[in-house]
Amino acid sequence: MTVDDRFVRDFRDSREEPLGIRNEIITGPVSDWATDFSHLEPEWAADPYPIQDDLRERCPIAHTERFGGGWLPTRYEDVAAIAYDTEHFSSRAIIMSNYRPPRDIAPVGAVPPISSDPPFHHDARKLLLPAFTKKEVAKREEAARAFCHSLIDGFEGAEIVDAARDYAQHIPMRVIADMLGFPPEDGPRFREFVEHALEGVNLPPEERMAHMGELFDYLLEQIRDHVANPRDDLTTYLIEAELYGRKLDPSHVAGTMALLLIAGIDTTWSAIGASLWHLAKTPADRERLVAEPALLPTAMEEFLRAYAPVTMARLVKEDMHWRGVDMRADDWVLLSFPAANRDPAQFDRADEVIIDREINRHAAFGLGIHRCVGSHLARMELRVALEVWLERVPVFGLADPSEVTWAPGQVRGPRTLPLRIG
């Protein structure tokens, strides 16, 4: 089999439709967050922290019958224990939804390595490590910085800009497009892919499947272009990569590209936006960082702790009694790293944003074997985005706090962020 042969046909055509489990879609107001939680409701998107704090006190492992049944631990020690426990919890699906893929999709999963279980996970993750070292990431900083400046150049004459739509979202889109060798003008399509994948969980199944089909249609188009025209980028690297002495399966190549595109964009976009939101509403912190730019790396870690964008999911492997609750096989477990990061048992003054916090072992990039492979890249993008913004726009504030909106689902960040810069 040659490289070309793998992608001549659509790899999806040769696979049998997986017989997973679908459940009833339940939406609407939450009756009690301890017994009926949903991370997709507006109250959660707007401000999940009081909800998490309340649960941590009265019901530290909350339950819901939505999504076919699931659990929400809010203490750091519980989140960490599950993240490290691959014996009892599977990563074969990491987006809590109304569909559970069949068990035989493990240990690879649909979007390796984040959807992979041991032992396959280790080898699939190892393939990606060379592209995300500090040394490799540093090579991208100059271009990222220039792009940030070009975005702010576009603000000329404006008194109010949307820092989420006009700035934050574009930075990881451009960086990931460059890494994968995708056309940078496809940015608007990337945004659609992200929103459909992460925010469209409660859409009807046929609509959700159609959106995922559009994503993989696009990825297959890019793969075929790279097969015909190889270049020095991550897509060609994955096409040519080998595991266990053979080229990767087409589904592995496309699945990993989907992971890099979706996760690589939304997480960083959300972190940049949340950091700018905090500075816009906290003049003392903004003024201090303008006056003390060397403090920014420390402040960044605090923004990542306090406004951690990412929540992951696991599936319970077998029925079990776990820390006081009876979990059933295939129950979801929502790993809220944001809740863990605000646990007062783990962090002093956990509910405060302290930009010179010295000890800060936060979990914004996850815990355990699935800790974010792109953390160096995300940190570089966040630092450069904030450095350039504070240099070019040292004075700014919220134009109208009520106009700020936040993404629902497992990656939370500002979707609209109108800032007054004039």
Side-chain angles (χ1 to χ4, degrees), residues 127-184:
L127 281 178
L128 295 179
L129 293 179
F132 292 95
T133 63
K134 284 186 178 180
K135 182 179 179 181
E136 286 300 310
V137 166
K139 296 176 183 177
R140 302 189 177 276
E141 180 168 333
E142 183 179 354
R145 189 176 299 277
F147 183 63
C148 291
H149 278 290
S150 73
L151 291 172
I152 292 180
D153 289 342
F155 297 168
E156 187 174 356
E159 292 186 2
I160 296 176
V161 299
D162 188 330
R165 289 180 177 268
D166 300 334
Y167 189 68
Q169 73 164 337
H170 294 286
I171 297 161
M173 282 181 184
R174 175 59 63 91
V175 172
I176 291 296
D178 288 347
M179 290 188 75
L180 288 169
F182 291 179

Side-chain angles (χ1 to χ4, degrees), residues 196-215:
H196 290 153
L198 297 172
E199 299 173 31
V201 167
N202 278 333
L203 291 174
E206 59 275 8
E207 191 173 338
R208 188 156 172 77
M209 288 173 66
H211 287 318
M212 295 308 293
E214 292 168 3
L215 166 61

